[in-house]
């Protein structure tokens, strides 16, 4: 059951769009202001990626809590926006830790020659994408990210050079008495390079 909770938690991370709740220093646009989509066009380099996910599961009166955290410790990874599509390409290294029943396991995974693409749209400070910006492996096996639309809040710095994505959500799944509550707080920060 513990392994199921951990895998479900990791799967939800994969479905999470991007991830920290503290932007880089600088003036950011007001979240109620419509962002001009043309200001997103160009190449963005990953500066920071963080995710904190807590999975609380209950089944037949037993409770399981899995705390998963990950952060980018190095990256040479770029996101390129065109008018309605995006591509990602490069390398990054994630340091992660998982805590189950008070026992913490830490590990580092390297992702090289990552590439992907998809389409996106914006409405105010919300971006909807069909695809994923990141890929992850679970126990050495590549994991496909669930396809379909995903949404995230974003902020663009006043000078248009820093783009920050935020996700802060709670999802509850109830499958035949197996209830899982997943709380995600995550962010990614990108600097414009072209």
């Amino acid at each position: 059951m513990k392994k199921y909770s951990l895998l479900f938690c990791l799967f939800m991370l994969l479905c999470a769009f991007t991830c920290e709740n503290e932007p880089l220093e600088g003036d950011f646009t007001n979240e109620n202001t419509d962002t001009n989509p043309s200001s997103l066009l160009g190449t963005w380099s990953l500066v920071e990626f963080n995710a904190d996910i807590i999975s609380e599961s209950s089944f037949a009166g037993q409770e399981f809590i899995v705390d998963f955290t990950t952060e980018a410790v190095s990256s040479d990874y770029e996101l390129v926006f065109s008018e309605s599509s995006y591509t990602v390409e490069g390398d990054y290294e994630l340091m992660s830790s998982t805590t189950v029943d008070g026992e913490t396991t830490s590990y580092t995974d390297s992702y090289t020659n990552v590439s992907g693409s998809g389409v996106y749209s914006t409405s105010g400070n919300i971006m909807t994408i069909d695809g994923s910006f990141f890929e992850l492996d679970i126990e050495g096996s590549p994991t496909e990210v669930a396809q379909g639309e995903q949404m995230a809040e974003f902020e663009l710095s006043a000078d248009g050079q820093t783009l920050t994505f935020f996700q802060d959500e709670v999802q509850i799944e109830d499958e035949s008495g197996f209830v899982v509550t997943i709380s995600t707080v995550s962010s990614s920060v990108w600097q414009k390079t072209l």
Side-chain angles (χ1 to χ4, degrees), residues 14 77 92 94 111 114-115 132-137 143 145:
L14 296 174
Y77 195 59
Y92 53 92
L94 300 178
Y111 299 86
V114 174
S115 64
S132 176
F133 289 170
F134 296 95
E135 72 176 41
L136 296 173
D137 291 345
T143 303
V145 176

Side-chain angles (χ1 to χ4, degrees), residues 12 34 39 52 55 58-59 65 67 74 83 85 102 106 109 120 127 133 144 159 162 164-167 179-180 184 193:
M12 292 311 295
D34 284 340
S39 58
D52 294 312
S55 171
S58 63
F59 183 73
I65 297 176
D67 187 1
S74 67
E83 297 270 339
S85 63
S106 298
D109 286 319
Y120 77 97
M127 180 178 289
F133 289 170
E144 291 291 322
D159 66 0
T162 303
T164 305
F165 289 100
F166 301 97
Q167 182 182 36
V179 180
V180 179
T184 303
T193 58

